[in-house]
Amino acid sequence: MTPRASGNGAPEDRARGNRASQDRASEDRASEEGGGLTLLPAVDVAGGKAVRLVQGAAGTETDYGEPLQAALAWQAAGAQWLHLVDLDAAFGRGSNAELLASVVGRLDIAVELSGGIRDDASLAAALATGCTRVNVGTAALENPDWVRSAIAEHGDKIAVGLDVRGTRLAARGWTREGGPLDEALDRLDADGCARYVVTDINKDGTLAGPNLDLLRHVCARTTRPVIASGGVSSLADLKALAGLVPDGVEGAIVGKALYAGAFTLEEALRAVAV
């Protein structure tokens, strides 16, 4: 089930001006959002299709059609941000880089790009798409010196994904142990990380509700803004996350609930409006 787009997709040549337009949009967003919870509809891509996984496990994909049509539909529905993920790159089994670059180039909204960004080449390719920021995951655990350098060079264009199972982190598409959450947080804070994307793996794709205690824990340990991911199933869940904005939760990634029709993006945006 692909969300319906409004038919107002941008022409192909818009890609050349995409970085500038997204940067301007990003600069204006703080005043537009009025301090409320930012929603980031998710488009996860595997095998060239928009999919959703259950608890991040390969082989649990549900196919939701063409990534571009999904992205355009969320833009038409009022999204100001999109969370775009290359699952094949995250799992180390391939790449959808060219497709994701084309999607970014067709959008007028800010994009957070994620999946398989682990070295200079993959980071440069991701930033070259014109995305507003990238979400680095595995590399923050396996190559902390490189991540420290990337943060120093690119500042708030780098967010770090903290994928959590209990009190431990996971890496490589959530298939490998990544060490204690608190140790990584302390190190990344010291490195100057600007933002964290916190995913409760056990909640992701389950429609079981977000892990509010985990988010409170992370927010209590860092002064950096947090994007919540995993488990959103209802407008009540979004309102609960909006209640954590004073603690440091800046936004929420929403995926399966939107695709499954639990609520519309328009309803979600109204629910968290200040």
Side-chain angles (χ1 to χ4, degrees):
M1 183 183 90
T2 301
R4 291 195 304 273
S6 65
N8 63 343
E12 292 290 342
D13 61 2
R14 185 167 294 169
R16 291 192 296 271
N18 190 58
R19 182 190 297 275
S21 66
Q22 288 188 351
D23 284 348
R24 288 193 297 271
S26 182
E27 290 168 1
D28 295 340
R29 196 156 285 104
S31 60
E32 291 173 359
E33 288 172 355
L37 186 74
T38 300
L39 299 185
L40 298 86
V43 178
D44 294 356
V45 181
K49 298 293 185 181
V51 303
R52 295 302 298 168
L53 306 181
V54 177
Q55 297 182 343
T60 65
E61 295 91 346
T62 300
D63 185 340
Y64 288 104
E66 297 300 321
L68 176 60
Q69 294 309 309
L72 289 173
W74 301 139
Q75 175 175 278
Q80 294 298 309
W81 277 88
L82 187 79
H83 183 70
L84 184 60
V85 185
D86 189 336
L87 287 175
D88 291 324
F91 282 110
R93 64 189 184 193
S95 173
N96 298 279
E98 185 174 338
L99 172 60
L100 267 59
S102 71
V103 171
V104 174
R106 291 287 299 273
L107 297 174
D108 296 319
I109 60 176
V111 176
E112 178 177 82
L113 193 59
S114 183
I117 302 169
R118 301 185 178 115
D119 53 29
D120 287 339
S122 56
L123 175 60
L127 292 172
T129 65
C131 66
T132 306
R133 65 174 177 249
V134 300
N135 184 31
V136 175
T138 293
L141 309 179
E142 296 184 349
N143 194 350
D145 290 340
W146 176 78
V147 172
R148 185 179 303 114
S149 175
I151 289 170
E153 181 175 356
H154 299 288
D156 64 4
K157 285 187 173 294
I158 306 291
V160 171
L162 300 174
D163 301 328
V164 186
R165 187 180 282 117
T167 61
R168 311 284 292 183
L169 294 170
R172 295 279 172 178
W174 303 348
T175 61
R176 297 185 188 177
E177 164 70 30
L181 166 64
D182 287 352
E183 287 183 12
L185 258 179
D186 293 347
R187 172 172 54 79
L188 288 161
D189 261 9
D191 291 343
C193 180
R195 179 174 283 98
Y196 299 106
V197 178
V198 178
T199 302
D200 182 337
I201 297 171
N202 293 328
K203 296 280 191 176
D204 192 66
T206 66
L207 300 178
N211 188 337
L212 301 179
D213 288 338
L214 170 63
L215 295 168
R216 291 188 187 100
H217 174 83
V218 172
C219 289
R221 201 169 183 93
T222 181
T223 60
R224 314 296 161 77
V226 170
I227 305 292
S229 178
V232 170
S233 65
S234 65
L235 296 177
D237 288 340
L238 291 176
K239 290 177 181 178
L241 290 171
L244 297 183
V245 167
D247 297 313
V249 173
E250 176 185 70
I253 295 167
V254 188
K256 191 169 184 178
L258 285 173
Y259 288 93
F263 48 78
T264 67
L265 182 58
E266 293 91 337
E267 290 171 336
L269 290 167
R270 287 196 296 270
V272 301
V274 175

